[in-house]
């Protein structure tokens, strides 16, 4: 019998009790904190690691590669399944990232499965939004690319667009020869999901307005607006370009402004992602699930969920309006750390949403955490 965190008894192969205050102290310190990292502007800029992120993350693993301290990535980005994002991060950062350690803006969409599992929905954004929703279990999901292709002339300027959009759904077929998988002339769209940053704003706003003001069937008379969900609401974010780029929040503002001018009812929508406090509570629950993997084979057997609660959860981000504001909304036990490698570049703390700590890089942030803990 061995002793675990908070006085919990850990049984190991029926051996005689070997109480150890040193072991108790070590396990307690491991369990007292968790870390949530933003990605863009903190860990990566585009696909390039920044701020000493690979070195910082390696300090959170044991020498043989196992997770030493619970951490995850909490990003408003997305467009690909969490499993694929985990593989990409593992390759770029040189550490083993599990799919459960990746929480993207659209990850909460899976909680809507019971409501829309067998309903026709559309998903839009860069990457593979329909694949993302399908992997969550939605049965009747079409990308907006595919959905729009079945409505002749729905995009009045399509002939002037020089780029081509890869059609994941049928890359070899000509658009004219495509046969809809559903009866789109009578089957109304029950919900629209903005999974990631839209690519063709003009077409996407046009099609969404058609769907939303017609009650889910473009070209028809006005009807009740189907639910609209955004994975995030970032106005700007830090990408590879030196200055910030417009994000999903900017697209939402454009859509809302236009919709409210052409429709008698104001646009109704729900936004997920940071700074929504729900996102931080969800991250805390996932970090608790990651705790047992950090205990080198020890396990707790008293069934007390309070025994693995955190004293401190650290959010390391670069956007005061999103990361720091969200941490403040979430409250205890969250502690905010603001880096200068992304959206925020100020010398002093942010005036409106000041962080608990301001550092230059994520490597400095991790160094502070490990020294403190």
């Amino acid at each position: 019998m061995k002793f675990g965190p908070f006085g919990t008894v850990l049984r190991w192969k029926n051996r005689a009790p070997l109480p150890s205050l040193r072991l108790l102290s070590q396990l307690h310190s491991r369990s007292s904190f968790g870390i949530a990292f933003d990605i863009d502007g903190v860990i990566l800029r585009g696909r390039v690691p920044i701020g000493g992120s690979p070195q910082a993350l390696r300090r959170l693993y044991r020498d043989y590669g196992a997770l030493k301290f619970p951490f995850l990535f909490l990003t408003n980005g997305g467009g690909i399944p969490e499993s694929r994002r985990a593989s990409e991060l593992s390759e770029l950062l040189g550490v083993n990232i599990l799919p459960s350690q990746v929480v993207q803006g659209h990850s909460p969409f899976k909680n809507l499965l019971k409501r829309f599992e067998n309903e026709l929905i559309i998903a839009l954004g860069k990457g593979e939004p329909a694949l993302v929703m399908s992997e969550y279990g939605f049965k009747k999901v079409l990308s907006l690319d595919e959905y729009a292709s079945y409505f002749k002339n729905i995009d009045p300027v399509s002939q002037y667009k020089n780029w081509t959009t890869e059609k994941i759904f049928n890359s070899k077929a000509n658009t004219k020869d495509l046969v809809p998988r559903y009866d789109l002339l009578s089957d109304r769209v029950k919900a629209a999901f903005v999974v990631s940053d839209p690519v063709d704003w003009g077409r996407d706003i046009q099609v969404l307005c058609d769907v939303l003001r017609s009650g889910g069937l473009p070209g028809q008379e006005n009807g009740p607006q189907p639910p609209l969900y955004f994975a995030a609401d970032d106005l700007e974010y830090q990408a590879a370009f030196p200055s910030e780029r417009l994000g999903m929040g900017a697209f939402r503002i454009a859509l809302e402004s236009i919709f409210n001018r052409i429709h008698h009812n104001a646009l109704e929508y729900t936004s997920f992602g940071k700074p929504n406090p729900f996102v931080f509570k969800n991250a805390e629950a996932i970090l608790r699930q990651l705790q047992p993997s950090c205990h080198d084979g020890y396990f707790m057997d008293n069934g007390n969920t309070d025994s693995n609660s955190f004293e401190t959860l650290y959010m390391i981000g670069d956007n005061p309006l999103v990361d720091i504001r969200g941490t403040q909304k979430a409250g205890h036990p969250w502690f905010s750390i603001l880096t200068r490698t992304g959206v925020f570049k100020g010398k002093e703390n942010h005036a409106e949403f000041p962080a608990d700590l301001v550092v230059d890089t994520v490597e400095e942030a991790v160094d502070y955490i490990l020294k403190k803990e």
Side-chain angles (χ1 to χ4, degrees), residues 196-216:
S196 50
D197 292 326
V199 177
D200 187 348
W201 281 34
R203 183 207 60 185
D204 293 353
I205 289 175
Q206 177 67 75
V207 175
L208 283 176
C209 284
D210 289 334
V211 169
L212 297 173
R213 65 176 175 170
S214 66

Side-chain angles (χ1 to χ4, degrees), residues 134-186:
S134 294
E135 291 207 356
Y136 290 159
F138 295 90
K139 300 293 195 303
K140 295 176 65 176
V141 54
L142 295 177
S143 68
L144 191 140
D145 288 341
E146 180 177 0
Y147 184 77
S149 71
Y150 299 130
F151 292 86
K152 186 177 181 180
N153 299 323
I154 196 169
D155 180 4
V157 295
S158 60
Q159 66 268 33
Y160 302 107
K161 296 175 181 177
N162 295 323
W163 69 85
T164 58
T165 302
E166 180 184 1
K167 293 188 168 50
I168 305 297
F169 53 92
N170 196 343
S171 59
K172 296 182 180 180
N174 186 290
T175 303
K176 296 180 181 179
D177 300 325
L178 291 176
V179 177
R181 287 179 278 162
Y182 314 111
D183 186 1
L184 302 182
L185 298 181
S186 62

Side-chain angles (χ1 to χ4, degrees), residues 183-254:
D183 186 1
L184 302 182
L185 298 181
S186 62
D187 199 355
R188 294 180 179 271
V189 172
K190 297 302 191 298
F193 293 83
V194 186
V195 173
S196 50
D197 292 326
V199 177
D200 187 348
W201 281 34
R203 183 207 60 185
D204 293 353
I205 289 175
Q206 177 67 75
V207 175
L208 283 176
C209 284
D210 289 334
V211 169
L212 297 173
R213 65 176 175 170
S214 66
L217 197 57
Q220 302 299 310
E221 296 295 326
N222 290 347
Q225 182 203 311
L228 171 64
Y229 300 97
F230 291 89
D233 203 35
D234 295 38
L235 181 63
E236 295 180 307
Y237 68 99
Q238 184 65 62
F241 195 74
S243 58
E244 296 79 34
R245 303 292 85 191
L246 296 177
M248 193 180 298
F251 176 82
R252 191 266 305 162
I253 291 171

Side-chain angles (χ1 to χ4, degrees), residues 6-283:
F6 309 101
T8 306
V9 177
L10 304 173
R11 294 188 175 87
W12 182 250
K13 295 184 179 179
N14 297 320
R15 291 180 181 176
L18 293 172
S20 168
L21 292 177
R22 184 166 176 265
L23 174 60
L24 176 65
S25 174
Q26 288 175 345
L27 289 182
H28 181 277
S29 65
R30 285 181 216 160
S31 303
S32 65
F33 74 97
I35 308 174
F37 295 93
D38 186 23
I39 296 179
D40 296 317
V42 174
I43 299 294
L44 302 174
R45 179 169 291 175
R47 292 180 57 83
V48 179
I50 58 174
S53 55
Q55 302 92 299
L57 292 175
R58 279 196 290 270
R59 298 180 66 185
L60 305 179
Y61 290 82
R62 301 187 184 281
D63 292 339
Y64 52 88
L67 194 62
K68 187 176 183 181
F69 304 109
F71 79 89
L72 53 72
F73 297 98
L74 189 59
T75 175
N76 281 352
I80 59 175
E82 285 77 5
S83 57
R84 191 183 303 176
R85 194 72 186 273
S87 296
E88 290 182 357
L89 289 170
S90 298
E91 181 180 350
L92 293 171
L93 300 170
V95 293
N96 182 36
I97 305 298
L98 303 173
S100 59
Q101 289 177 273
V102 178
V103 181
Q104 303 187 101
H106 48 69
S107 296
F109 286 171
K110 65 185 70 172
N111 296 324
L112 295 167
L113 182 60
K114 287 185 179 180
R115 182 176 177 185
F116 299 109
E117 180 177 3
N118 296 302
E119 304 285 2
L120 177 62
I121 63 173
I122 56 174
L124 66 145
K126 67 182 181 181
E128 300 179 48
L131 176 62
V132 168
M133 300 301 285
S134 294
E135 291 207 356
Y136 290 159
F138 295 90
K139 300 293 195 303
K140 295 176 65 176
V141 54
L142 295 177
S143 68
L144 191 140
D145 288 341
E146 180 177 0
Y147 184 77
S149 71
Y150 299 130
F151 292 86
K152 186 177 181 180
N153 299 323
I154 196 169
D155 180 4
V157 295
S158 60
Q159 66 268 33
Y160 302 107
K161 296 175 181 177
N162 295 323
W163 69 85
T164 58
T165 302
E166 180 184 1
K167 293 188 168 50
I168 305 297
F169 53 92
N170 196 343
S171 59
K172 296 182 180 180
N174 186 290
T175 303
K176 296 180 181 179
D177 300 325
L178 291 176
V179 177
R181 287 179 278 162
Y182 314 111
D183 186 1
L184 302 182
L185 298 181
S186 62
D187 199 355
R188 294 180 179 271
V189 172
K190 297 302 191 298
F193 293 83
V194 186
V195 173
S196 50
D197 292 326
V199 177
D200 187 348
W201 281 34
R203 183 207 60 185
D204 293 353
I205 289 175
Q206 177 67 75
V207 175
L208 283 176
C209 284
D210 289 334
V211 169
L212 297 173
R213 65 176 175 170
S214 66
L217 197 57
Q220 302 299 310
E221 296 295 326
N222 290 347
Q225 182 203 311
L228 171 64
Y229 300 97
F230 291 89
D233 203 35
D234 295 38
L235 181 63
E236 295 180 307
Y237 68 99
Q238 184 65 62
F241 195 74
S243 58
E244 296 79 34
R245 303 292 85 191
L246 296 177
M248 193 180 298
F251 176 82
R252 191 266 305 162
I253 291 171
L255 172 63
E256 185 176 16
S257 177
I258 294 171
F259 185 88
N260 291 350
R261 292 290 295 272
I262 64 176
H263 194 55
H264 55 273
N265 290 330
L267 181 70
E268 297 179 359
Y269 61 89
T270 301
S271 292
F272 290 90
K274 299 172 292 184
N276 192 323
F278 164 82
V279 173
F280 289 84
K281 289 191 176 297
N282 183 51

Side-chain angles (χ1 to χ4, degrees), residues 315 317-329 336-338 353-357:
M315 175 69 223
D318 69 305
N319 192 331
L321 277 68
V322 175
D323 303 310
I324 309 307
R325 184 184 178 193
T327 307
Q328 292 174 355
K329 284 185 174 183
S336 58
I337 302 180
L338 182 61
F353 300 108
D356 295 308
L357 176 69

Side-chain angles (χ1 to χ4, degrees), residues 277-290:
F278 164 82
V279 173
F280 289 84
K281 289 191 176 297
N282 183 51
E284 182 176 355
I286 295 173
L287 285 167
R288 280 200 301 268
Q289 294 171 7
L290 290 170

